[in-house]
Amino acid sequence: MKTFLEYVARDIVSKHGTNLADKVIVFPNKRASLFLNEYLVRAAGKPVWSPVYTTISDLFREHSDLIVGDNIKLVCDLHKSFVACTGIDEPLDHFYGWGQLLLSDFDDIDKNMADAGKVFANLKDIHELDGVAYLSPEQIEAIKTFFSNFTEDHDSELKRRFLRLWSKFGDIYSYYNERLTAQGMAYEGALYRRVVTDTAVEFSHSRYIFVGFNLLQKVERQLFKHLKSEGKARFYWDLDKYYMAADGHVQHEAGHYISSYLSDFPNELDSHATDIYDNFAANKQITYISAPTENIQARYVSKWLHDNGRMAAGRSMAVVLCNESLLNAVIHSLPDDIGSVNITTGYPLSQSPLSSLLYALIALQTSGYDANHDRYRLHYVNAVLNHPYACYISAGSKELHKAINTDAKVYYPDRATLCIDDGLSLLFEDTANCAADATRAGQITSWVIKLLKRIADNSADEKDPLFKESLFKMYTLVNRLDGLIVSGDLTIDVITLQRLLNQIIQSTSIPFHGEPAVGVQVMGVLETRNLDFDHLLILSCNEGNMPKGVNDTSFIPYSIRKAHELTTVDNKVAVYSYYFHRLLQRATDITILYNNAVSNGNAGEMSRFMLQIMVESNHAIAKKALQSGQTPAVCNPREVKKSGHIMDNLLARFDLSRNPQALLTPSAINRYMRCQLQFYYNYVCNIKELQDDDEGIDNRVFGNIFHLAAQYIYEQLSSRQDVITPSALKSLLSQPAAIERAVDSAFNSELFKIKSGRVRATEYNGLQLINRAVIIMYLRRLIEIDLKQAPFSIVGLEEDVRRDFVIQAGGSTISTTIGGRVDRIDRISDGAGERLRVVDYKTGGKKIKPLPDIEAVFDPSRLKDHSDYYLQAMLYSLIAGESAQLNPAKLPVSPALLFIQHTAGDDYDPTLCFGKAPITDVMEHRDRFSEQIKEKVNDMFNPDIPFVPTADDNICKTCPYAAICGL
């Protein structure tokens, strides 16, 4: 296949020779110039004085003394013009999105050389249209049809607001252009218009050769006419007989524009040459493939490249993305052996890790900073320190993270705690020092710029080009915003800065740099202009992607656009139709994929252009469907056999011969009874439940703080006297400060991880204060309960109760330690006589039902009745009762669960019951309890009994391992 650019190169050399230094070749975009340059050398067969290559945009810009402002600057000035003309103080972040829309409308007006004043005419004055010579009767009728919605008969607040805004657009347009001109700036359309209307503009080269254009705006047509009248313009049109005019009538939308231009701007090539312009009808292998998802299309790229030897085709092969958000997936799906790849579409900056770092930095200085106390919130500090790029800010980021999370839980660290080196001193710098005289937004942008520079300096050896490009692009954006803030062009608060940055980042791409003339080409639709490929893979060719942007969002209604010959939906459809058909016309191997899935109620439809080819062309089209070769990952809990490896892990955790610290706790046994797979994930696989670094207090931490505070209180009481008397408890209740000190000490130790004593935490947040008050209330209730039981003596607080335990499993004997920690062991005397109580505090709100017997304690179906509480309390009581240290007098021992929230009534007794009978001596149940627990534990360690999932769906719903179970 000979490409269009090869024909152009051959014709240029034949007509202009090899000295092309005074020629300018103009393309719609830059990409084609490298290919044409190579073809010129081939056509000449000897060295060539290269012509000047430029784009139509650059050609206009080179002939103006104005510069095109960047988008941020343009929208900021438009916002100021809007406020000045309307008096509406619209926040910039609210204005930014539709400011871009209004700027696009202004740009379209100028590129089509329309009269802005007439476009934005007062809709009420319908009669002003009478006798308007520049409009045809059809155009006037179209406008009147639109205006009919704005007569007095259709009065509404929405209409009045629209009319008030519409009536100001003409003023905004004029004021805005004057404002930009005074600064030596313009938006693109205004610059184009100035160039073609300024008779003093000179085009100094001898020849301007325009290659591969399609839709021409009026300013472009004006330029073409001007250069043609001077004898300087030549035109090369890329087209095909399939969609061009037949017998003077345009039968296909793809050829609509070129057909209308050929008479004014004649083609340098022979438009009837079949080898150049009759390729669409040639034999082609066309395949349509439906796919259920977007990502599966990206994954198909590798297979397509390997099939039919396409990999060797190099640059004559292209992967075209109708949906450019697929780029990331396509890049990761390219095969390892692909060799050279050239990517021309941009990578979204919002998908780079640097954007998440920027968001975390801004959040740190806003939501994460308490200006009143000059402190930061831990959650936001961790978001920055845990970021993978934090190491480029400071090598001490991990050390700091450990210091404020593990060594001590510092929920509100100050700068003295955080600034342990230069990098962290910059990260947690007082941003007012960055730009003392600037607004808060300016201080933050200056600070971010300093951090980005530091990241750049510390990552100089980094080889990842995407990282470097994203860093440069992010620095450029923030630096530009900072410059606008410093100059006064941009006056915003911090909230607006956040929103504005988010909008800008979402619309910014990172360019890829490479050698376009080498390797497989990966590109968007617009980059394909002027280029031809033998092998084409077109992805996501759905209606909505091809053609793209047919919603025609604008402040200017369709009827008015049509009347003033501005760009409409019809124009866009025709333009994309040309792109699509031109791309296919010289290709011989074409594969087109589309998404056929139903999403948000909309069925996935192939592009209308694909349907057109099916109906109108004579090509045989193969239709296939793409299906995933993998089944979805469905959680399907299934038993896990105790292989040798699993048994090794199990024994390494619980066998004393392998682990001197082995301890089999009631929690482990209860977890095994709740769900054996849950036990397997936790104790065998050692997968721990996620711990949050938020400032809230979960149930576990709440209970730990209560237990620790109760321990502090009763340690103080028992240190003063052997027996806790009613008077001592009453005295404690009358001293709220003593209870508060105990709670504060528990908070410091358990929540804030302060190890230096019982000093009150520097600061509580709102939720912590509420939890503190509740814990104080619970402690007072605990003391009131004990007051009814007094006098009693404390035998142990937070006491470890353990004993050796022998397991017989699979013919082997395993020794371990069984037990745990008891909240309190006390010695009381009541109507049943003197006995020990093994007391476990419970701060939860759910009452438990008394179990009928020992068998119910080991029945997994009774877990909903908290049989696990019974197992723990009875096990601890049996161990304590047999301990010579804790129970030298061999007193009866009672298991007790003291539910703080359910202690109403003078007769409240926390002693556990079987049925209605309190367990006054747990030794009465020792033999049956021991048999049951041995049976459960022996099964747990029996290599012949697998870990099986629970049959209770309610347990699965709250299981922390539900997402991975059965994978």
Side-chain angles (χ1 to χ4, degrees):
M1 176 199 71
K2 186 174 288 187
T3 67
F4 168 67
L5 291 180
E6 287 183 271
Y7 288 112
V8 171
R10 187 174 63 181
D11 194 68
I12 289 174
V13 171
S14 67
K15 292 177 179 178
H16 303 284
T18 57
N19 186 0
L20 303 173
D22 198 36
K23 309 296 186 293
V24 178
I25 299 180
V26 186
F27 292 105
N29 60 357
K30 295 179 179 179
R31 182 169 174 75
S33 60
L34 286 173
F35 289 87
L36 182 60
N37 203 51
E38 179 182 333
Y39 294 144
L40 284 173
V41 174
R42 288 186 190 175
K46 57 183 177 179
V48 175
W49 283 105
S50 180
V52 175
Y53 295 106
T54 189
T55 64
I56 189 69
S57 176
D58 289 341
L59 181 62
F60 275 104
R61 297 183 190 211
E62 290 163 4
H63 291 84
S64 175
D65 55 354
L66 299 178
I67 62 170
V68 175
D70 65 77
N71 199 55
I72 302 172
K73 166 68 175 172
L74 291 175
V75 176
C76 289
D77 272 356
L78 182 56
H79 175 250
K80 292 185 177 181
S81 302
F82 171 83
V83 172
C85 292
T86 64
I88 301 173
D89 191 15
E90 182 84 0
L92 179 60
D93 61 307
H94 291 173
F95 176 85
Y96 196 88
W98 64 272
Q100 289 178 307
L101 196 63
L102 186 57
L103 180 59
S104 176
D105 286 341
F106 288 172
D107 186 75
D108 196 30
I109 287 171
D110 284 325
K111 284 183 177 177
N112 287 288
M113 302 184 73
D115 188 324
K118 292 176 180 177
V119 171
F120 297 121
N122 191 334
L123 299 185
K124 288 184 178 179
D125 299 330
I126 300 176
H127 298 295
E128 289 184 2
L129 293 172
D130 298 338
V132 180
Y134 69 93
L135 295 177
S136 68
E138 292 78 12
Q139 291 172 323
I140 292 175
E141 187 59 34
I143 295 178
K144 283 186 175 181
T145 301
F146 176 74
F147 281 176
S148 65
N149 297 309
F150 292 90
T151 63
E152 296 299 332
D153 298 333
H154 298 83
D155 195 25
S156 69
E157 177 60 26
L158 180 62
K159 185 195 78 173
R160 287 191 293 272
R161 291 175 64 184
F162 177 83
L163 290 174
R164 284 199 299 269
L165 188 58
W166 179 273
S167 66
K168 297 294 184 182
F169 280 167
D171 297 334
I172 296 170
Y173 172 87
S174 300
Y175 183 90
Y176 179 50
N177 275 281
E178 291 171 4
R179 180 184 181 91
L180 290 178
T181 303
Q183 302 174 67
M185 299 178 63
Y187 52 89
E188 192 173 70
L191 183 143
Y192 283 18
R193 191 168 190 165
R194 283 175 177 270
V195 170
V196 298
T197 56
D198 186 353
T199 57
V201 173
E202 294 184 4
F203 292 86
S204 57
H205 286 80
S206 65
R207 191 78 71 222
Y208 292 84
I209 300 171
F210 297 91
V211 179
F213 283 81
N214 177 35
L215 170 64
L216 298 177
Q217 306 283 3
K218 285 187 179 179
V219 286
E220 295 167 338
R221 296 203 297 272
Q222 192 74 14
L223 176 65
F224 283 20
K225 288 178 181 177
H226 172 73
L227 291 173
K228 181 188 172 188
S229 67
E230 294 186 348
K232 293 184 174 183
R234 297 292 183 271
F235 309 96
Y236 289 89
W237 301 97
D238 191 5
L239 51 93
D240 194 273
K241 178 182 176 181
Y242 172 78
Y243 52 78
M244 290 300 290
D247 301 326
H249 299 287
V250 179
Q251 297 179 333
H252 200 293
E253 59 193 353
H256 174 76
Y257 291 107
I258 294 179
S259 296
S260 65
Y261 302 146
L262 282 175
S263 59
D264 292 329
F265 313 114
N267 193 0
E268 288 295 297
L269 296 173
D270 181 2
S271 298
H272 300 289
T274 57
D275 60 329
I276 307 176
Y277 293 124
D278 191 11
N279 292 288
F280 199 93
N283 290 332
K284 301 180 187 297
Q285 182 180 335
I286 303 177
T287 304
Y288 288 178
I289 302 179
S290 62
T293 67
E294 294 288 276
N295 282 337
I296 198 173
Q297 297 182 51
R299 295 177 65 85
Y300 177 71
V301 172
S302 179
K303 182 181 187 312
W304 182 82
L305 289 170
H306 281 112
D307 286 349
N308 301 324
R310 293 188 182 100
M311 191 79 78
R315 74 180 191 187
S316 66
M317 172 176 50
V319 178
V320 180
L321 312 180
C322 297
N323 175 10
E324 294 187 11
S325 65
L326 274 177
L327 177 63
N328 196 7
V330 168
I331 291 174
H332 286 89
S333 299
L334 293 173
D336 294 336
D337 58 343
I338 192 170
S340 298
V341 180
N342 184 67
I343 300 172
T344 58
T345 188
Y347 188 92
L349 181 60
S350 60
Q351 293 183 18
S352 72
L354 206 64
S355 64
S356 62
L357 176 62
L358 182 71
Y359 295 145
L361 289 172
I362 302 293
L364 179 69
Q365 286 295 340
T366 52
S367 304
Y369 177 64
D370 182 358
N372 294 328
H373 300 89
D374 194 25
R375 292 176 181 272
Y376 294 90
R377 295 174 64 185
L378 180 64
H379 175 75
Y380 294 90
V381 172
N382 283 343
V384 177
L385 296 181
N386 285 328
H387 195 279
Y389 291 167
C391 61
Y392 297 126
I393 297 175
S394 168
S397 56
K398 290 184 178 180
E399 177 187 346
L400 176 61
H401 182 271
K402 178 177 180 292
I404 60 178
N405 287 276
T406 304
D407 298 342
K409 199 72 170 181
V410 187
Y411 282 95
Y412 290 94
D414 56 18
R415 287 197 172 90
T417 303
L418 298 170
C419 299
I420 61 176
D421 60 28
D422 291 342
L424 293 170
S425 296
L426 173 59
L427 178 59
F428 299 104
E429 179 182 27
D430 182 356
T431 50
N433 294 332
C434 295
D437 298 330
T439 62
R440 180 66 178 146
Q443 292 170 349
I444 290 178
T445 52
S446 297
W447 169 71
V448 170
I449 288 170
K450 290 168 66 176
L451 283 170
L452 292 176
K453 287 180 178 178
R454 182 175 180 87
I455 292 172
D457 291 339
N458 291 338
S459 62
D461 297 332
E462 177 63 55
K463 303 299 183 184
D464 183 1
L466 183 59
F467 164 71
K468 289 185 175 294
E469 285 289 348
S470 62
L471 179 60
F472 174 76
K473 181 63 73 172
M474 188 67 74
Y475 174 82
T476 302
L477 289 178
V478 179
N479 192 51
R480 181 61 180 142
L481 279 176
D482 186 65
L484 291 171
I485 292 171
V486 171
S487 67
D489 288 320
L490 183 58
T491 304
I492 53 174
D493 58 23
V494 177
I495 301 301
T496 304
L497 174 66
Q498 285 181 284
R499 294 172 179 167
L500 187 58
L501 268 171
N502 183 58
Q503 292 187 51
I504 294 170
I505 290 171
Q506 291 295 327
S507 61
T508 301
S509 295
I510 305 166
F512 285 92
H513 298 289
E515 175 50 61
V518 176
V520 178
Q521 309 291 304
V522 178
M523 59 182 65
V525 174
L526 296 182
E527 285 77 29
T528 65
R529 290 176 290 182
N530 283 312
L531 303 180
D532 296 302
F533 304 96
D534 286 322
H535 307 277
L536 274 176
L537 176 64
I538 304 176
L539 301 182
S540 199
C541 193
N542 281 75
E543 190 67 19
N545 292 333
M546 176 64 75
K548 188 184 294 291
V550 296
N551 60 334
D552 204 31
T553 305
S554 168
F555 283 105
I556 306 174
Y558 174 85
S559 297
I560 295 180
R561 282 186 163 275
K562 192 78 171 175
H564 291 277
E565 298 182 347
L566 302 179
T567 306
T568 65
V569 169
D570 306 331
N571 302 115
K572 294 179 181 178
V573 172
V575 167
Y576 271 89
S577 179
Y578 172 76
Y579 292 157
F580 180 81
H581 289 88
R582 195 222 64 80
L583 179 60
L584 270 56
Q585 64 196 24
R586 293 186 181 87
T588 56
D589 172 26
I590 302 165
T591 304
I592 306 177
L593 281 76
Y594 67 98
N595 189 338
N596 66 346
V598 176
S599 178
N600 297 323
N602 299 318
E605 297 181 62
M606 67 172 67
S607 167
R608 69 185 75 177
F609 305 143
M610 295 170 65
L611 290 171
Q612 276 182 287
I613 293 176
M614 289 173 61
V615 174
E616 297 175 0
S617 76
N618 295 320
H619 293 295
I621 299 173
K623 300 179 183 67
K624 299 181 180 179
L626 197 62
Q627 295 181 348
S628 173
Q630 299 177 344
T631 56
V634 178
C635 293
N636 183 24
R638 53 187 178 271
E639 67 179 34
V640 175
K641 294 182 179 180
K642 294 173 184 171
S643 64
H645 175 69
I646 289 175
M647 284 301 300
D648 283 342
N649 286 351
L650 184 63
L651 296 177
R653 179 71 180 264
F654 294 109
D655 187 358
L656 282 173
S657 66
R658 304 190 188 195
N659 178 12
Q661 307 299 320
L663 177 64
L664 180 61
T665 64
S667 296
I669 299 171
N670 281 318
R671 194 182 286 266
Y672 179 81
M673 290 196 299
R674 180 175 289 107
C675 176
Q676 295 175 21
L677 284 186
Q678 192 178 112
F679 172 88
Y680 164 74
Y681 287 124
N682 189 292
Y683 291 96
V684 179
C685 299
N686 200 31
I687 301 174
K688 299 304 179 185
E689 298 176 32
L690 182 65
Q691 299 294 326
D692 196 357
D693 65 357
D694 201 2
E695 297 141 22
I697 299 176
D698 60 23
N699 292 336
R700 180 187 62 83
V701 175
F702 181 93
N704 289 346
I705 294 172
F706 173 83
H707 283 67
L708 192 55
Q711 177 187 351
Y712 289 156
I713 288 174
Y714 281 98
E715 280 179 347
Q716 293 176 23
L717 287 173
S718 59
S719 66
R720 301 191 192 107
Q721 54 196 79
D722 293 336
V723 177
I724 308 298
T725 62
S727 60
L729 294 174
K730 289 178 181 178
S731 175
L732 182 61
L733 287 171
S734 66
Q735 302 174 41
I739 298 175
E740 291 178 10
R741 282 194 298 271
V743 172
D744 291 333
S745 295
F747 263 95
N748 283 344
S749 179
E750 182 64 31
L751 187 65
F752 302 117
K753 307 297 183 185
I754 298 174
K755 303 175 182 178
S756 57
R758 302 173 187 169
V759 180
R760 178 173 177 169
T762 305
E763 183 179 3
Y764 292 103
N765 66 16
L767 287 175
Q768 291 165 355
L769 280 173
I770 292 172
N771 280 282
R772 177 179 180 270
V774 172
I775 291 172
I776 290 172
M777 179 184 70
Y778 282 6
L779 285 171
R780 292 186 63 85
R781 188 173 294 175
L782 172 63
I783 296 169
E784 290 167 355
I785 295 167
D786 287 339
L787 179 59
K788 298 170 186 176
Q789 184 64 57
F792 60 87
S793 57
I794 298 294
V795 176
L797 295 169
E798 296 298 320
E799 190 74 38
D800 286 333
V801 289
R802 303 179 182 182
R803 69 176 176 84
D804 293 339
F805 192 84
V806 177
I807 304 167
Q808 301 292 336
S812 300
T813 300
I814 303 166
S815 296
T816 190
T817 302
I818 194 169
R821 178 165 292 182
V822 177
D823 294 339
R824 182 173 106 191
I825 303 175
D826 56 26
R827 183 171 178 169
I828 66 169
S829 181
D830 55 16
E834 193 173 27
R835 58 192 168 102
L836 295 184
R837 291 190 312 175
V838 175
V839 181
D840 193 8
Y841 304 133
K842 296 296 180 185
T843 56
K846 185 176 180 180
K847 285 185 177 181
I848 65 168
K849 297 178 181 179
L851 298 180
D853 49 35
I854 287 292
E855 281 68 21
V857 175
F858 294 91
D859 182 357
S861 66
R862 304 303 292 263
L863 282 165
K864 62 181 183 296
D865 299 325
H866 281 296
S867 59
D868 51 341
Y869 289 174
Y870 268 74
L871 188 149
Q872 176 176 298
M874 292 189 69
L875 178 63
Y876 288 165
S877 298
L878 286 169
I879 297 174
E882 294 174 344
S883 170
Q885 177 184 354
L886 298 175
N887 190 18
K890 302 296 183 181
L891 295 174
V893 179
S894 294
L897 294 177
L898 202 159
F899 285 85
I900 305 298
Q901 295 191 48
H902 305 289
T903 56
D906 293 337
D907 59 345
Y908 175 76
D909 186 357
T911 304
L912 285 182
C913 299
F914 278 140
K916 294 184 179 180
I919 304 175
T920 55
D921 188 359
V922 73
M923 292 300 172
E924 296 175 0
H925 306 281
R926 178 181 59 183
D927 293 341
R928 186 62 185 139
F929 184 90
S930 298
E931 290 175 8
Q932 289 283 333
I933 202 165
K934 283 182 179 180
E935 181 180 337
K936 287 293 181 185
V937 175
N938 288 345
D939 287 349
M940 185 188 301
F941 287 86
N942 190 334
D944 299 325
I945 300 177
F947 294 115
V948 298
T950 180
D952 188 346
D953 291 340
N954 292 321
I955 293 176
C956 293
K957 289 177 183 178
T958 59
C959 178
Y961 306 102
I964 63 172
C965 187
L967 292 180

